[in-house]
Amino acid sequence: MKVAVLIKQVPDTTAKVGIISGSVDEGAISKWSISPYDEYALESALSLQSGSGATVVAITLGPERSSKSLIDAAAVGADELLHVVHDGALGSLSLQKALSEAVTRVGAEVVLVGKQAADTNSGSTGPGVAKILNYSCVGLVSRIEAGSDGFEATRSTPSGIERVSVKLPCVFAFDKGDVELRRPNVRGIMMAKKKPIERITLADLGVDSTGEGVSTTSVDYPPEKPEGQRFEGPDSAAEVATKLREEANVI
Amino acid sequence: MGPFELRTLKGLDLSGCTDIMGYEALDFYDVDSLLTDEELMIRDAVRGWVDESVIPKIENACREGVFLDEWRQEIGSMGILGAPLKGYGCPGLSYTAYGVICRELERGDSGIRSFASVQGSLAMYPIWDFGSEDQKEKYLPRMATGELIGCFGLTEPDYGSNPGDMVTKATEDGDSFILNGAKMWITNGTIADLAIVWAKLDGVIRGFIVEKGDPGFSAPEMKGKHSLKASVTSELVFQDCRIPKDRILPGVKGLRGPFSCLNNARFGISWGAIGSAQACYDSARSYALSRIQFDHPIAAYQLVQNKLAWMLREITKGQLLAYHLGKKKDAGEWIPEHISLAKMNNVDIALEIARVSRDIHGANGILDEYPVMRHMANLESVKTYEGTHDIHNLILGRHITGIQAFTKGA
Amino acid sequence: MSTTIIAEQQEEGIHSTLPQLVHAASVIGGECTVIIPGGGGESEASEIVGVDRVLKFNGSCFSVFDSQSWSSALKGSVGGTVLLASTPRGRELGASLAAELGMSVVQDVTSISEGINVERPVFSGKAIEKVTISSPAVITIRANSLDSAGNGGSAPISTIDSGEDLRMAVEEAITKASEKIDVSEADIIISGGRGLGDVSNFEKLEEVASTLGAAVGASRAVVDEWGLPHSMQVGQTGKTVTPSLYIAVGISGAIQHLAGMRSSSYIVAINKDPEAPIFTVADYGIVASWEDALPVLHDSIKALP
């Protein structure tokens, strides 16, 4: 069984994100990492590797620097590495097409991906790839187990959690699970250095990256919060409740 | 300006105090950009482990005076023990990588780094360099995984800086050696499965491997430390301790044996101290940016900025020293005096940075909510062990003048 | 241009965001169709001003949330720009539909204007992305970001039967109503300090927390003194948290506590001491005793539409 893990390299969640003239100042980002939810997908793939002997193929799409996330994946045990090298913006549809072609190319029937990336916060890739490949899709997954006839996945629902059974081929989009992520050890790091990375382009996959009618015009800092407001007396709590809904939009 | 206007202090970059998501290692000159990809990955792995497994647990461990066994297991499974040693299941990394590992561990706590230093440089190294083939195969693979813990017995209650006068003795008795004497200030002693013990055999210093459970050997823990509280420190007591003949390290005689070990450990300390200093600087900087006195963050005051700038200056110099020493060590172009300089300087500035950082933290600096007082107390030990600060000055003094000044009237 | 809204169900009927989605549709303009997968709440939907027709989908596939089957079932009835709520399910179904229809998807939009120009938070709210949409796309909209369309309409309701098959089966469903949320995971945290007077008063915080789906945190002082679990502790030696809302009750705001929570998006402080340092970081500071103010806050939150 081949398991593809789609990983995205994003600014580390501890890194400061600076913006210069309407776009993210990538050069100033101090640390890039595998997007956190993708790490849970990778961890589950590695469990399948040790549990049922699956071959784990890590796939990323992004500029040159993204290779590092594949090496990181190899350091914890990914067997094969595929880098779709692409610099610059890519619409959600082209991205999903490219990743779908990449999954087909490696011949994976099981695709694991994080529920959303830590930069765009979108969460479109998993379900989109599933649709293009005509695979089943289970989202918000915290754990999967291989059964005799497909997989059982635990996913969260508005009221709790549920366990669903699904046949292959399938895409699983991972939420944070209650598993501990494995840490690379020196042996893994030294092995990762030797692991080849297959590098291909969108053209190799037959994917065209031309416009989709959706374009980012700018990225900006969020508007500054107004100065702190003070209220006197217990009854003012009612006004605060209203402001939390209407002004802050947090409840 | 009223006391409630912190968030709107215009013209002040307070981004530093809002971005508190994690430890930011000071690296003003991007010295780490000189590391190889593998060295960087190892750095990140160890740093991540320290964030997750040391920082949240260290204060409690210090309060209880324990080294957590999970630390042994996890350090072992990272595969970093005996970092620069090759073969016998050892990692075979560069000395620079070993330095980076020490730095990241000591950013957590000097006691954690001490554990790794003693295991790798003082216990594994002598077996690797001076041991028999059988000894290497018997001990090294299991020491590299942390399954077996080692310690190093050189210092005695009455012989610290002058180990050559040690009184611990070994005598031959048929198929055995009999050891008598005592060692003191032995890191990992009580939890160790084996001890590398330096003792005089016919007046010549030799290395012996003593295993836990050997008759006549005990390793009581020393209590009451105000420093390195999360590290086990012990005495090693030998009362007619009988060990088989094949436990002698065949490959070395005289002080060269223990001193070779110490050179490697001191090298690690020169990097490790930078980790402590970085932790103290990081805490001081973020504290100074968020502590408001006289309506401004104290970071806005010149006296505090002066202190922070001094810390940055010394850490940057220390980093360059450590890095270049690593390169010299990797190239085999080093002399022990190079290591003395780096150990002495980097521990010295780290200790002073810890003290100044405590000062910036005001009264809060004495609380275990901040790491600075712990690092400060630890560094007092680090300044003294593995060759005291003064002894390293004398080593350099001898190198400069050709005149040894360790002993009087020589 | 026309819009299709895919409504979401919640326990009491139609999801409360539907009138907000209809408002977004009115910004885009054109005919507005509301699709209700699986049915339920269709008369509610038909009464929202601006809805032109309601399509109720019946079929066995709607018994379980299955984005792939649902998007296949719905595709023939979807036209123009597609709007969904930016809930976990809305986002998954939206992405699936977009791929089904060969369209782009723009998730988690917080503002929309003619053009179509939208804004969405990225990097967990550290930045805002502005996006221009010039051809039909799928857009999901964050709850409570937009105004709501009013009531008083009467759109016709029709029913479509779908023969689409489910691609998964639910083996076991576990309702987790009262599970405690960890402070490091929570989007809303309500924390108590020494000002609560007694550990038993944390029950009052628990009540508010269960209304908000929030986690309960504590300052170090009370964790140490009242023997609360360390996992609740927010601050220098506890958890560093960045929820979208942090409510500090009876916490004076020692620097160690502030270090752990000052990066929260919004901070509410309730403290009777007007000089308490917690007010220096509060967006909404309530100077009152918590015994009086917290019940008012709780009742007012419960009374919000």
PDB file of all heavy atoms in Angstrom, chain C residues 193-223:
ATOM      1  N   GLY C 193      -8.558  34.149  39.317  1.00  0.00           N
ATOM      2  CA  GLY C 193      -7.410  34.402  40.182  1.00  0.00           C
ATOM      3  C   GLY C 193      -7.838  34.506  41.625  1.00  0.00           C
ATOM      4  O   GLY C 193      -8.969  34.149  41.986  1.00  0.00           O
ATOM      5  N   ARG C 194      -6.930  35.011  42.429  1.00  0.00           N
ATOM      6  CA  ARG C 194      -7.146  35.087  43.860  1.00  0.00           C
ATOM      7  C   ARG C 194      -8.398  35.883  44.223  1.00  0.00           C
ATOM      8  O   ARG C 194      -9.025  35.621  45.234  1.00  0.00           O
ATOM      9  CB  ARG C 194      -5.921  35.748  44.487  1.00  0.00           C
ATOM     10  CG  ARG C 194      -5.585  35.217  45.825  1.00  0.00           C
ATOM     11  CD  ARG C 194      -4.364  35.941  46.347  1.00  0.00           C
ATOM     12  NE  ARG C 194      -3.262  35.040  46.527  1.00  0.00           N
ATOM     13  CZ  ARG C 194      -2.005  35.333  46.236  1.00  0.00           C
ATOM     14  NH1 ARG C 194      -1.702  36.493  45.717  1.00  0.00           N
ATOM     15  NH2 ARG C 194      -1.049  34.465  46.454  1.00  0.00           N
ATOM     16  N   GLY C 195      -8.765  36.834  43.370  1.00  0.00           N
ATOM     17  CA  GLY C 195      -9.953  37.642  43.628  1.00  0.00           C
ATOM     18  C   GLY C 195     -11.226  36.829  43.721  1.00  0.00           C
ATOM     19  O   GLY C 195     -12.249  37.314  44.210  1.00  0.00           O
ATOM     20  N   LEU C 196     -11.202  35.565  43.246  1.00  0.00           N
ATOM     21  CA  LEU C 196     -12.398  34.729  43.368  1.00  0.00           C
ATOM     22  C   LEU C 196     -12.678  34.374  44.826  1.00  0.00           C
ATOM     23  O   LEU C 196     -13.784  33.966  45.163  1.00  0.00           O
ATOM     24  CB  LEU C 196     -12.235  33.433  42.559  1.00  0.00           C
ATOM     25  CG  LEU C 196     -12.294  33.561  41.037  1.00  0.00           C
ATOM     26  CD1 LEU C 196     -12.133  32.194  40.394  1.00  0.00           C
ATOM     27  CD2 LEU C 196     -13.592  34.198  40.583  1.00  0.00           C
ATOM     28  N   GLY C 197     -11.676  34.496  45.667  1.00  0.00           N
ATOM     29  CA  GLY C 197     -11.890  34.308  47.096  1.00  0.00           C
ATOM     30  C   GLY C 197     -11.831  32.866  47.556  1.00  0.00           C
ATOM     31  O   GLY C 197     -11.268  32.567  48.607  1.00  0.00           O
ATOM     32  N   ASP C 198     -12.402  31.961  46.768  1.00  0.00           N
ATOM     33  CA  ASP C 198     -12.421  30.562  47.189  1.00  0.00           C
ATOM     34  C   ASP C 198     -12.450  29.668  45.956  1.00  0.00           C
ATOM     35  O   ASP C 198     -13.056  30.009  44.948  1.00  0.00           O
ATOM     36  CB  ASP C 198     -13.663  30.285  48.050  1.00  0.00           C
ATOM     37  CG  ASP C 198     -13.575  28.911  48.698  1.00  0.00           C
ATOM     38  OD1 ASP C 198     -12.978  28.818  49.785  1.00  0.00           O
ATOM     39  OD2 ASP C 198     -14.064  27.940  48.085  1.00  0.00           O
ATOM     40  N   VAL C 199     -11.808  28.517  46.100  1.00  0.00           N
ATOM     41  CA  VAL C 199     -11.698  27.618  44.956  1.00  0.00           C
ATOM     42  C   VAL C 199     -13.071  27.187  44.449  1.00  0.00           C
ATOM     43  O   VAL C 199     -13.271  26.941  43.261  1.00  0.00           O
ATOM     44  CB  VAL C 199     -10.802  26.396  45.302  1.00  0.00           C
ATOM     45  CG1 VAL C 199     -11.449  25.535  46.375  1.00  0.00           C
ATOM     46  CG2 VAL C 199     -10.471  25.589  44.051  1.00  0.00           C
ATOM     47  N   SER C 200     -14.060  27.144  45.351  1.00  0.00           N
ATOM     48  CA  SER C 200     -15.390  26.683  44.931  1.00  0.00           C
ATOM     49  C   SER C 200     -15.998  27.625  43.897  1.00  0.00           C
ATOM     50  O   SER C 200     -16.875  27.243  43.126  1.00  0.00           O
ATOM     51  CB  SER C 200     -16.305  26.565  46.147  1.00  0.00           C
ATOM     52  OG  SER C 200     -16.472  27.853  46.724  1.00  0.00           O
ATOM     53  N   ASN C 201     -15.521  28.859  43.870  1.00  0.00           N
ATOM     54  CA  ASN C 201     -16.093  29.817  42.917  1.00  0.00           C
ATOM     55  C   ASN C 201     -15.681  29.541  41.468  1.00  0.00           C
ATOM     56  O   ASN C 201     -16.213  30.160  40.544  1.00  0.00           O
ATOM     57  CB  ASN C 201     -15.717  31.234  43.328  1.00  0.00           C
ATOM     58  CG  ASN C 201     -16.481  31.663  44.569  1.00  0.00           C
ATOM     59  OD1 ASN C 201     -17.646  31.272  44.736  1.00  0.00           O
ATOM     60  ND2 ASN C 201     -15.834  32.408  45.448  1.00  0.00           N
ATOM     61  N   PHE C 202     -14.728  28.620  41.287  1.00  0.00           N
ATOM     62  CA  PHE C 202     -14.405  28.237  39.913  1.00  0.00           C
ATOM     63  C   PHE C 202     -15.612  27.607  39.210  1.00  0.00           C
ATOM     64  O   PHE C 202     -15.694  27.602  37.998  1.00  0.00           O
ATOM     65  CB  PHE C 202     -13.189  27.293  39.877  1.00  0.00           C
ATOM     66  CG  PHE C 202     -11.899  28.024  39.660  1.00  0.00           C
ATOM     67  CD1 PHE C 202     -11.165  28.501  40.734  1.00  0.00           C
ATOM     68  CD2 PHE C 202     -11.437  28.270  38.370  1.00  0.00           C
ATOM     69  CE1 PHE C 202      -9.989  29.199  40.535  1.00  0.00           C
ATOM     70  CE2 PHE C 202     -10.262  28.972  38.159  1.00  0.00           C
ATOM     71  CZ  PHE C 202      -9.532  29.438  39.251  1.00  0.00           C
ATOM     72  N   GLU C 203     -16.559  27.102  40.037  1.00  0.00           N
ATOM     73  CA  GLU C 203     -17.796  26.564  39.428  1.00  0.00           C
ATOM     74  C   GLU C 203     -18.505  27.627  38.598  1.00  0.00           C
ATOM     75  O   GLU C 203     -19.082  27.331  37.564  1.00  0.00           O
ATOM     76  CB  GLU C 203     -18.747  26.074  40.523  1.00  0.00           C
ATOM     77  CG  GLU C 203     -18.361  24.721  41.066  1.00  0.00           C
ATOM     78  CD  GLU C 203     -19.201  24.350  42.284  1.00  0.00           C
ATOM     79  OE1 GLU C 203     -20.350  24.852  42.386  1.00  0.00           O
ATOM     80  OE2 GLU C 203     -18.690  23.579  43.119  1.00  0.00           O
ATOM     81  N   LYS C 204     -18.448  28.856  39.087  1.00  0.00           N
ATOM     82  CA  LYS C 204     -19.114  29.938  38.347  1.00  0.00           C
ATOM     83  C   LYS C 204     -18.436  30.148  36.985  1.00  0.00           C
ATOM     84  O   LYS C 204     -19.104  30.434  35.996  1.00  0.00           O
ATOM     85  CB  LYS C 204     -19.061  31.238  39.164  1.00  0.00           C
ATOM     86  CG  LYS C 204     -19.659  31.140  40.565  1.00  0.00           C
ATOM     87  CD  LYS C 204     -21.169  31.164  40.477  1.00  0.00           C
ATOM     88  CE  LYS C 204     -21.864  31.420  41.814  1.00  0.00           C
ATOM     89  NZ  LYS C 204     -21.271  30.849  42.995  1.00  0.00           N
ATOM     90  N   LEU C 205     -17.129  29.997  36.988  1.00  0.00           N
ATOM     91  CA  LEU C 205     -16.412  30.135  35.715  1.00  0.00           C
ATOM     92  C   LEU C 205     -16.755  28.969  34.788  1.00  0.00           C
ATOM     93  O   LEU C 205     -16.921  29.144  33.581  1.00  0.00           O
ATOM     94  CB  LEU C 205     -14.898  30.193  35.937  1.00  0.00           C
ATOM     95  CG  LEU C 205     -14.336  31.283  36.854  1.00  0.00           C
ATOM     96  CD1 LEU C 205     -12.822  31.376  36.693  1.00  0.00           C
ATOM     97  CD2 LEU C 205     -14.962  32.637  36.569  1.00  0.00           C
ATOM     98  N   GLU C 206     -16.864  27.775  35.382  1.00  0.00           N
ATOM     99  CA  GLU C 206     -17.223  26.590  34.582  1.00  0.00           C
ATOM    100  C   GLU C 206     -18.561  26.808  33.869  1.00  0.00           C
ATOM    101  O   GLU C 206     -18.731  26.423  32.708  1.00  0.00           O
ATOM    102  CB  GLU C 206     -17.353  25.338  35.462  1.00  0.00           C
ATOM    103  CG  GLU C 206     -16.089  24.937  36.211  1.00  0.00           C
ATOM    104  CD  GLU C 206     -15.105  24.149  35.369  1.00  0.00           C
ATOM    105  OE1 GLU C 206     -15.387  23.938  34.173  1.00  0.00           O
ATOM    106  OE2 GLU C 206     -14.038  23.771  35.907  1.00  0.00           O
ATOM    107  N   GLU C 207     -19.499  27.442  34.579  1.00  0.00           N
ATOM    108  CA  GLU C 207     -20.817  27.661  33.978  1.00  0.00           C
ATOM    109  C   GLU C 207     -20.707  28.561  32.751  1.00  0.00           C
ATOM    110  O   GLU C 207     -21.289  28.268  31.705  1.00  0.00           O
ATOM    111  CB  GLU C 207     -21.767  28.307  35.000  1.00  0.00           C
ATOM    112  CG  GLU C 207     -22.199  27.340  36.094  1.00  0.00           C
ATOM    113  CD  GLU C 207     -22.840  28.065  37.274  1.00  0.00           C
ATOM    114  OE1 GLU C 207     -23.224  29.257  37.124  1.00  0.00           O
ATOM    115  OE2 GLU C 207     -22.945  27.437  38.362  1.00  0.00           O
ATOM    116  N   VAL C 208     -19.968  29.635  32.895  1.00  0.00           N
ATOM    117  CA  VAL C 208     -19.805  30.541  31.752  1.00  0.00           C
ATOM    118  C   VAL C 208     -19.050  29.810  30.637  1.00  0.00           C
ATOM    119  O   VAL C 208     -19.387  29.924  29.457  1.00  0.00           O
ATOM    120  CB  VAL C 208     -19.037  31.815  32.151  1.00  0.00           C
ATOM    121  CG1 VAL C 208     -18.897  32.755  30.967  1.00  0.00           C
ATOM    122  CG2 VAL C 208     -19.726  32.513  33.311  1.00  0.00           C
ATOM    123  N   ALA C 209     -18.052  29.017  31.050  1.00  0.00           N
ATOM    124  CA  ALA C 209     -17.257  28.294  30.059  1.00  0.00           C
ATOM    125  C   ALA C 209     -18.113  27.349  29.250  1.00  0.00           C
ATOM    126  O   ALA C 209     -17.944  27.218  28.037  1.00  0.00           O
ATOM    127  CB  ALA C 209     -16.131  27.524  30.752  1.00  0.00           C
ATOM    128  N   SER C 210     -19.069  26.699  29.907  1.00  0.00           N
ATOM    129  CA  SER C 210     -19.859  25.735  29.141  1.00  0.00           C
ATOM    130  C   SER C 210     -20.795  26.449  28.173  1.00  0.00           C
ATOM    131  O   SER C 210     -21.085  25.942  27.100  1.00  0.00           O
ATOM    132  CB  SER C 210     -20.588  24.763  30.068  1.00  0.00           C
ATOM    133  OG  SER C 210     -21.705  25.376  30.621  1.00  0.00           O
ATOM    134  N   THR C 211     -21.217  27.661  28.526  1.00  0.00           N
ATOM    135  CA  THR C 211     -22.032  28.436  27.580  1.00  0.00           C
ATOM    136  C   THR C 211     -21.206  28.826  26.350  1.00  0.00           C
ATOM    137  O   THR C 211     -21.683  28.770  25.218  1.00  0.00           O
ATOM    138  CB  THR C 211     -22.548  29.725  28.255  1.00  0.00           C
ATOM    139  OG1 THR C 211     -23.297  29.366  29.402  1.00  0.00           O
ATOM    140  CG2 THR C 211     -23.408  30.528  27.296  1.00  0.00           C
ATOM    141  N   LEU C 212     -19.965  29.211  26.610  1.00  0.00           N
ATOM    142  CA  LEU C 212     -19.128  29.738  25.521  1.00  0.00           C
ATOM    143  C   LEU C 212     -18.324  28.658  24.813  1.00  0.00           C
ATOM    144  O   LEU C 212     -17.660  28.929  23.816  1.00  0.00           O
ATOM    145  CB  LEU C 212     -18.144  30.776  26.095  1.00  0.00           C
ATOM    146  CG  LEU C 212     -18.708  32.126  26.503  1.00  0.00           C
ATOM    147  CD1 LEU C 212     -17.665  32.918  27.266  1.00  0.00           C
ATOM    148  CD2 LEU C 212     -19.182  32.905  25.277  1.00  0.00           C
ATOM    149  N   GLY C 213     -18.343  27.444  25.334  1.00  0.00           N
ATOM    150  CA  GLY C 213     -17.439  26.419  24.798  1.00  0.00           C
ATOM    151  C   GLY C 213     -15.995  26.791  25.106  1.00  0.00           C
ATOM    152  O   GLY C 213     -15.104  26.582  24.288  1.00  0.00           O
ATOM    153  N   ALA C 214     -15.801  27.352  26.284  1.00  0.00           N
ATOM    154  CA  ALA C 214     -14.485  27.873  26.632  1.00  0.00           C
ATOM    155  C   ALA C 214     -13.747  26.923  27.574  1.00  0.00           C
ATOM    156  O   ALA C 214     -14.347  26.037  28.177  1.00  0.00           O
ATOM    157  CB  ALA C 214     -14.633  29.238  27.318  1.00  0.00           C
ATOM    158  N   ALA C 215     -12.453  27.132  27.683  1.00  0.00           N
ATOM    159  CA  ALA C 215     -11.650  26.424  28.675  1.00  0.00           C
ATOM    160  C   ALA C 215     -11.528  27.295  29.911  1.00  0.00           C
ATOM    161  O   ALA C 215     -11.653  28.521  29.830  1.00  0.00           O
ATOM    162  CB  ALA C 215     -10.264  26.130  28.119  1.00  0.00           C
ATOM    163  N   VAL C 216     -11.293  26.664  31.059  1.00  0.00           N
ATOM    164  CA  VAL C 216     -11.113  27.410  32.295  1.00  0.00           C
ATOM    165  C   VAL C 216      -9.633  27.405  32.669  1.00  0.00           C
ATOM    166  O   VAL C 216      -9.005  26.350  32.722  1.00  0.00           O
ATOM    167  CB  VAL C 216     -11.955  26.814  33.440  1.00  0.00           C
ATOM    168  CG1 VAL C 216     -11.685  27.557  34.741  1.00  0.00           C
ATOM    169  CG2 VAL C 216     -13.431  26.887  33.084  1.00  0.00           C
ATOM    170  N   GLY C 217      -9.087  28.588  32.881  1.00  0.00           N
ATOM    171  CA  GLY C 217      -7.685  28.723  33.262  1.00  0.00           C
ATOM    172  C   GLY C 217      -7.568  29.329  34.647  1.00  0.00           C
ATOM    173  O   GLY C 217      -8.570  29.661  35.288  1.00  0.00           O
ATOM    174  N   ALA C 218      -6.330  29.479  35.100  1.00  0.00           N
ATOM    175  CA  ALA C 218      -6.115  30.020  36.439  1.00  0.00           C
ATOM    176  C   ALA C 218      -4.758  30.703  36.503  1.00  0.00           C
ATOM    177  O   ALA C 218      -3.860  30.412  35.712  1.00  0.00           O
ATOM    178  CB  ALA C 218      -6.190  28.909  37.473  1.00  0.00           C
ATOM    179  N   SER C 219      -4.621  31.612  37.447  1.00  0.00           N
ATOM    180  CA  SER C 219      -3.327  32.240  37.683  1.00  0.00           C
ATOM    181  C   SER C 219      -2.483  31.310  38.551  1.00  0.00           C
ATOM    182  O   SER C 219      -2.992  30.378  39.186  1.00  0.00           O
ATOM    183  CB  SER C 219      -3.508  33.576  38.400  1.00  0.00           C
ATOM    184  OG  SER C 219      -3.954  33.348  39.722  1.00  0.00           O
ATOM    185  N   ARG C 220      -1.184  31.574  38.590  1.00  0.00           N
ATOM    186  CA  ARG C 220      -0.310  30.695  39.374  1.00  0.00           C
ATOM    187  C   ARG C 220      -0.670  30.727  40.862  1.00  0.00           C
ATOM    188  O   ARG C 220      -0.645  29.699  41.539  1.00  0.00           O
ATOM    189  CB  ARG C 220       1.154  31.103  39.208  1.00  0.00           C
ATOM    190  CG  ARG C 220       2.043  30.239  40.067  1.00  0.00           C
ATOM    191  CD  ARG C 220       3.501  30.396  39.792  1.00  0.00           C
ATOM    192  NE  ARG C 220       4.250  29.474  40.660  1.00  0.00           N
ATOM    193  CZ  ARG C 220       5.551  29.281  40.598  1.00  0.00           C
ATOM    194  NH1 ARG C 220       6.265  29.941  39.720  1.00  0.00           N
ATOM    195  NH2 ARG C 220       6.141  28.436  41.391  1.00  0.00           N
ATOM    196  N   ALA C 221      -1.051  31.916  41.320  1.00  0.00           N
ATOM    197  CA  ALA C 221      -1.347  32.051  42.748  1.00  0.00           C
ATOM    198  C   ALA C 221      -2.382  31.018  43.185  1.00  0.00           C
ATOM    199  O   ALA C 221      -2.197  30.338  44.195  1.00  0.00           O
ATOM    200  CB  ALA C 221      -1.840  33.466  43.036  1.00  0.00           C
ATOM    201  N   VAL C 222      -3.450  30.893  42.420  1.00  0.00           N
ATOM    202  CA  VAL C 222      -4.504  29.981  42.871  1.00  0.00           C
ATOM    203  C   VAL C 222      -4.182  28.523  42.543  1.00  0.00           C
ATOM    204  O   VAL C 222      -4.627  27.618  43.232  1.00  0.00           O
ATOM    205  CB  VAL C 222      -5.896  30.396  42.326  1.00  0.00           C
ATOM    206  CG1 VAL C 222      -6.233  31.788  42.809  1.00  0.00           C
ATOM    207  CG2 VAL C 222      -5.973  30.310  40.820  1.00  0.00           C
ATOM    208  N   VAL C 223      -3.410  28.308  41.484  1.00  0.00           N
ATOM    209  CA  VAL C 223      -2.985  26.934  41.201  1.00  0.00           C
ATOM    210  C   VAL C 223      -2.163  26.421  42.382  1.00  0.00           C
ATOM    211  O   VAL C 223      -2.371  25.312  42.879  1.00  0.00           O
ATOM    212  CB  VAL C 223      -2.170  26.869  39.892  1.00  0.00           C
ATOM    213  CG1 VAL C 223      -1.454  25.523  39.755  1.00  0.00           C
ATOM    214  CG2 VAL C 223      -3.087  27.092  38.683  1.00  0.00           C
TER     215      VAL C 223
END
